[in-house]
Amino acid sequence: MRLTRRSLLASTGAVAVAGLAPPAAARAPASRADLWIGTGGDGHTYPGATVPFGMVQVSPDTDTENWANCSGYHRGDPSMMGFSHTHLSGTGIADMMDVLVVPGRGPVHLLPGDAAIPGSGYRQTYAQETAEPGYYAVTLGNGVRSELTAEARVGWQRHTFPKGPGHILVDLGNYRDSRPGEGPLIDQGLIELDTDGTIRGSRRTFRWAKGRRIHFALRVTPKPDRITLHTGLQQVDGAIASADRVRAVLHYDDAGAKPIVVRTAVSAVDLAGARTNLAASLSADFDTARRQAVRGWATALRAIEVEGGTDAAHTIIATALYHSMLAPTLFSDVDNRYLGLDGAIHSVPNGEAAYSSYSTWDTYRALHPLLTLVAPDRAKSLVHDLIRQTQQSPYGPPCWPLQGVETGTMIGAHSLAVMAEAAAKGIDADYAAAWPAIRARAFDPSGPDLANSRGRATYIARGYLPADQIDESVSRTQEYAYDDWAMANLADRAKATDDAKLLRERSRNYRNVLDPAIGFARPKLADGSWLTPYDPIQLGHTKRYRDFTEANGWQTSFLNQHDIYGQIAHFGGDATFATRLDALFAAPSTLPKDAPPDISGLLGQYAHGNEPDQHVPYLYAYVGQPWKTQRLVRTLLDTMYHAAPDGIIGNDDCGQMSAWFVLSALGFYPVDPVAAVYVFGSPLFTRAKVRLGGKTLRIEAPGNRADTPYVAAVEWNGRPWTRSWIAHADLVRGGTLRFTMSATPNPAFGAKPADRPPSFGKPAE
């Protein structure tokens, strides 16, 4: 069954059958990962080769133009263009796909042709695909068998041709043509032939990250018989081609004499950086590189091992963990240089690294919390990098930086939450160094803004954004308030006590767009009145302004993550709040015709396929009804994820959708990452072992089955645990968390106020 925007993936009956299947046999996590999951539907993942958090992602491209092809690949597309070296995983906007390599036979084609007509250009049919962590292979319609693997900064390709002539095309013009009034998508293309046989070049692109520049250095063995360079579609003489769109063709009189191996390094700094990255390659040949990549993934994915559950569930969690280790991506060269958000070249200290592809609006919720558990050294490295980027960016704390460009995509600047969470979890970093830039964003309205911080001055002055002045005003007000909460906690680390107090109080501005009379998030106008008429299904009150970000009034009513008890009181108490939650999950799953495809995976009006709602199933714990959380979480685990190409209900968003599955399948989730606590849900397996950077967390749920989603009791290290939550500080010490599962709910578990999760820095009252 294909994913749709308004339906679940599988019927209740199908889920029950899957859930009662025999337990999966033990197998290494890396061997269970299915890289096709997410490559169909709207998952927007890619199947190609990379290493954990690697700079290079060498992967096949079936198209570069459609929304379905944001990662370059979509399962089932009829033709393949070739193999490029940089890709985004799970995003809703396309970019990257740099340095396309196309193995060809027969006449040389410089353009891809029609996606639906293989052979109309250099596009070809393809079959016999293989994908595993660190390796990809495919047989093209021209008979070439192509294999891909990767090091951190170097992509490897091996192409085995049939006997006879053939060629390798290197295409730096592989985006669609600009549309009228759009401006160039590519310019300043360059390819140079060095005397030692290295091919190097660069291009500047204007897709998502406007003005992003990429440099590459490429070596091929055996050497070609000749090389031709092309500007546009014209062949040029000499060793340099310079134009907006440039290409090189490596010609072989007998391409099938031996496999052709292409090694390519990239850099965002300069041509010398790419060449240095290539020279630093650690692998002697393709097979060595492949073994190293596969071994690296096997080590990384051993962070979590599970027993029990279905075979499909084992595949999904292994794949989800894999997808959780693709981004952020390495951005500093082997000589430590990188391009800062200020446009200058910087160097990281030895042992440190710079990163790109921070999808913070998505990933602060589960991806970064997961890394603090299973990859604490990586989490520390990322926080050090975010502190540097905060100091260097003219916009302060990053929002969505891509390859040295702050895209300003989505709303808020949720790198603040990533830094504040790390501080709360005791990750060592110089948080005070970032505070001056953070404070300027918090209190100085004169600084520059991008789309993500639109209306910041109005928010500072009013405490909310008027719906008749600022688009997405309801979502922005609440998410700016969450950033205030994160900034308050960072102010504490900087010993800025007065600032912390002011920001902590300001973080309650979320209430300014929650109408307690109707129990909904509601647009407020500049005169202070509520918008009328109001329909929580709709996205905006005029064609000019949408009131919510990829959501509607239903989904945005529970966007607040940090002051749950304040919102409970605002809505009238525990019973009323619980009733509003019940209504969310029971409402008709209808959306307006202009709803974006991001609002997907509906259960009632809860939308699991997009990030704003993903903590909401866990909110029942705050009103003493965690059994409802347990039932919902198990339903979502079983119905929103499949072991199939369309098995992720929405964009994976650099691993956020996958990280939600991993944490929830283990049995807990961070409603407010900055609080450094996890709320219990419903574990999916009978046993799990989580390696915590030196310690081990064991999770047990003996006899756990599809028909036992409820938690009757919990033990921590052999002692009864009555709370419906546990602190990060407890988990990272290691130990055994034991769930007693049941077919019926236990309303007494976690019901007492003393056993409910803390919020806003304090327990329930």
Side-chain angles (χ1 to χ4, degrees), residues 464-545:
Y464 77 98
L465 295 176
D468 47 347
Q469 295 181 357
I470 305 292
D471 67 306
E472 302 176 343
S473 63
V474 179
S475 295
R476 287 180 184 277
T477 297
Q478 295 197 70
E479 298 210 25
Y480 291 3
Y482 187 73
D483 284 346
D484 285 342
W485 169 247
M487 287 190 286
N489 285 270
L490 291 168
D492 285 334
R493 296 303 186 279
K495 302 187 185 309
T497 306
D498 291 341
D499 289 340
K501 181 178 180 181
L502 177 57
L503 286 165
R504 192 163 281 112
E505 184 56 35
R506 203 171 82 178
S507 76
R508 284 180 156 155
N509 283 343
Y510 73 91
R511 296 175 298 181
N512 292 334
V513 290
L514 296 182
D515 184 355
I518 61 172
F520 278 106
R522 186 174 185 178
K524 182 176 284 188
L525 305 179
D527 63 6
S529 64
W530 296 112
L531 173 72
T532 56
Y534 171 74
D535 179 358
I537 296 293
Q538 298 303 314
L539 306 178
H541 67 283
T542 70
K543 291 183 178 180
R544 180 182 178 190
Y545 290 132

Side-chain angles (χ1 to χ4, degrees), residues 5 46 71 221 257 288 298 377 388 409 424 448 503 529 655 674 684 710 757:
R5 294 170 53 229
Y46 59 83
S71 73
T221 54
T288 302
D377 289 342
R388 287 189 295 268
T409 300
L503 286 165
S529 64
V674 176
L684 195 57
Y710 297 104

Side-chain angles (χ1 to χ4, degrees), residues 457-646:
T458 302
Y459 172 81
I460 293 171
R462 285 178 170 263
Y464 77 98
L465 295 176
D468 47 347
Q469 295 181 357
I470 305 292
D471 67 306
E472 302 176 343
S473 63
V474 179
S475 295
R476 287 180 184 277
T477 297
Q478 295 197 70
E479 298 210 25
Y480 291 3
Y482 187 73
D483 284 346
D484 285 342
W485 169 247
M487 287 190 286
N489 285 270
L490 291 168
D492 285 334
R493 296 303 186 279
K495 302 187 185 309
T497 306
D498 291 341
D499 289 340
K501 181 178 180 181
L502 177 57
L503 286 165
R504 192 163 281 112
E505 184 56 35
R506 203 171 82 178
S507 76
R508 284 180 156 155
N509 283 343
Y510 73 91
R511 296 175 298 181
N512 292 334
V513 290
L514 296 182
D515 184 355
I518 61 172
F520 278 106
R522 186 174 185 178
K524 182 176 284 188
L525 305 179
D527 63 6
S529 64
W530 296 112
L531 173 72
T532 56
Y534 171 74
D535 179 358
I537 296 293
Q538 298 303 314
L539 306 178
H541 67 283
T542 70
K543 291 183 178 180
R544 180 182 178 190
Y545 290 132
R546 285 191 172 182
D547 301 318
F548 313 99
T549 302
E550 296 183 359
N552 63 16
W554 273 106
Q555 294 138 23
T556 312
S557 294
F558 301 97
L559 188 56
N560 163 48
Q561 296 171 253
H562 64 285
D563 184 26
I564 309 301
Y565 298 116
Q567 183 170 351
I568 290 171
H570 190 66
F571 273 7
D574 289 355
T576 301
F577 190 80
T579 299
R580 298 305 304 156
L581 285 174
D582 292 342
L584 172 72
F585 291 101
S589 296
T590 56
L591 291 174
K593 292 181 179 180
D594 62 341
D598 307 86
I599 307 176
S600 60
L602 294 183
L603 182 60
Q605 277 292 315
Y606 168 82
H608 188 74
N610 207 26
E611 281 67 27
D613 266 9
Q614 289 181 351
H615 65 285
V616 175
Y618 289 88
L619 294 183
Y620 282 107
Y622 296 81
V623 292
Q625 298 180 11
W627 64 272
K628 292 182 180 178
T629 288
Q630 297 152 18
R631 180 190 64 199
L632 281 167
V633 167
R634 182 65 69 87
T635 297
L636 295 169
L637 287 167
D638 284 341
T639 60
M640 298 293 173
Y641 300 84
H642 257 10
D646 60 355

Side-chain angles (χ1 to χ4, degrees), residues 348-374:
V348 296
N350 288 332
E352 292 283 339
Y355 297 88
S356 176
S357 302
Y358 284 96
S359 184
T360 64
W361 185 79
D362 310 286
T363 56
Y364 84 88
R365 306 167 196 268
L367 185 280
H368 288 280
L370 174 62
L371 296 181
T372 65
L373 286 170
V374 303

